[in-house]
Amino acid sequence: MTTATPRRTTRSGSSSTTPPTTPSGNPAPTTAGGPGPAVSRRPAIDWRIRFGVLSLIWGFSFLLIKVGTHGYAPFQVTFGRLFFGTAVLAVAIAVRRERLPRGIRTWGHLTVAAFILNAVPFSLFSYAELTIPSTLAGICNATSPLWGMLLSLVALSEDRPTRRRVGGLGLGFIGVLTVLGAWQGFSGLDFAGTAMALLASLSYAVGWVYVRRTLAGNGSSHLSLTGAQLFMATVQLAVVTPLFTDLPTSFPVVPLLAVVTLGSLGTGLALLIQYGLVAEVGPTTGQMVTYFVPVIATAAGVAVLSEPLHWNTPVGAVIVLVGAALTQSRSGGAPAALKSTPPAGPRPRPAAVPADQP
């Protein structure tokens, strides 16, 4: 559902490749951006308030996906989400007078990143929520750090396993089995929908590795790279959607408002908030939003949509989150607590971060 360094972000998200919190769905992968001017003044709104707002926005994203699919096809929900998210970032780019990325090679990598980090996972979550509760989708999204650690150990030579991180990986997948009710033979579980949600989470982790290998050192700003990435994902869905769906004969208001909100707030505004947070308090504290998203997604699904909640869902979710937190820890200890205070004085501008979130 999203940055200062390529180490330790997504919704939408937070793998051992250390992306800052985004979507996704939803923690965002990092790429190294060029040098920029220091931030000379603090935002008017305290970072803790913005942290809470971001957690709520990304936590409610799964509810909005579910409501959107009540009136529109999954590809249409994804296209609307990307369209309105891109529109918000386009306005921000124009206001800040940012330059779009240059070079065919950069745009080629952004096109691939858009496919892996936006078009694929957003669509998979939309299709998954046709048959599974939004609560389960939110918890599946929280497995991104677990997939990320597995991939980084294979693809990123600087990431070395430790007992704590391997233990966190095992604990996290025990949590997944708890959520899915493995001891009762996965009774009542929709395998196709759950598999799509887990594949969406895996797609985020694959995208993080790809971004680190291809876009590190790019001189464009984080805002322009993200806007370009979302634009390319929008183009991809604009091509795919008419091939697999029919034009709606009616436009139900509530699902339409859900899609507009999902795009403008859950994708566009959320990314802007995320970048500001990482710039002010750093990626370690910024990525803590990842651990609040499934909690809020579960509460929203139960309270608003009256989705069923069995004891194994919250218990398994807690185990998943503890395991995910351990996979992010290194020899120096676990990620910093949320209560940590930002250091005084200006911080350098965060590096660019292509977008992903819940």
Side-chain angles (χ1 to χ4, degrees), residues 73 75 127 240-246:
F75 276 138
Y127 271 101
V240 169
T241 302
L243 299 178
F244 294 93
T245 64
D246 296 324

Side-chain angles (χ1 to χ4, degrees), residues 54-80:
L54 182 60
S55 300
L56 286 171
I57 290 175
W58 274 342
F60 271 85
S61 292
F62 298 97
L63 179 149
L64 294 173
I65 293 171
K66 171 70 80 173
V67 174
T69 57
H70 288 169
Y72 302 97
F75 276 138
Q76 293 168 346
V77 172
T78 302
F79 172 72

Side-chain angles (χ1 to χ4, degrees), residues 233-270:
T234 305
V235 171
Q236 291 167 7
L237 263 293
V239 173
V240 169
T241 302
L243 299 178
F244 294 93
T245 64
D246 296 324
L247 191 68
T249 55
S250 62
F251 294 88
V253 175
V254 174
L256 179 60
L257 290 176
V259 173
V260 173
T261 304
L262 179 65
S264 57
L265 298 185
T267 302
L269 179 63

Side-chain angles (χ1 to χ4, degrees), residues 180-224:
L180 302 183
W183 68 93
Q184 55 188 9
F186 305 103
S187 176
L189 181 71
D190 183 88
F191 284 97
T194 304
M196 284 189 284
L198 290 172
L199 282 174
S201 180
L202 173 60
S203 183
Y204 286 143
V206 173
W208 297 336
V209 174
Y210 177 81
V211 163
R212 284 195 62 182
R213 285 188 172 278
T214 60
L215 288 171
N218 188 285
S220 300
S221 73
H222 64 266
L223 179 58
S224 63

Side-chain angles (χ1 to χ4, degrees), residues 6-7 17 152 155-161 165 212-213 330:
R7 307 285 305 170
T17 61
S152 67
L156 300 171
S157 58
E158 69 268 26
D159 284 314
R160 299 298 182 187
R165 296 177 69 196
R212 284 195 62 182
R213 285 188 172 278
R330 296 183 181 275

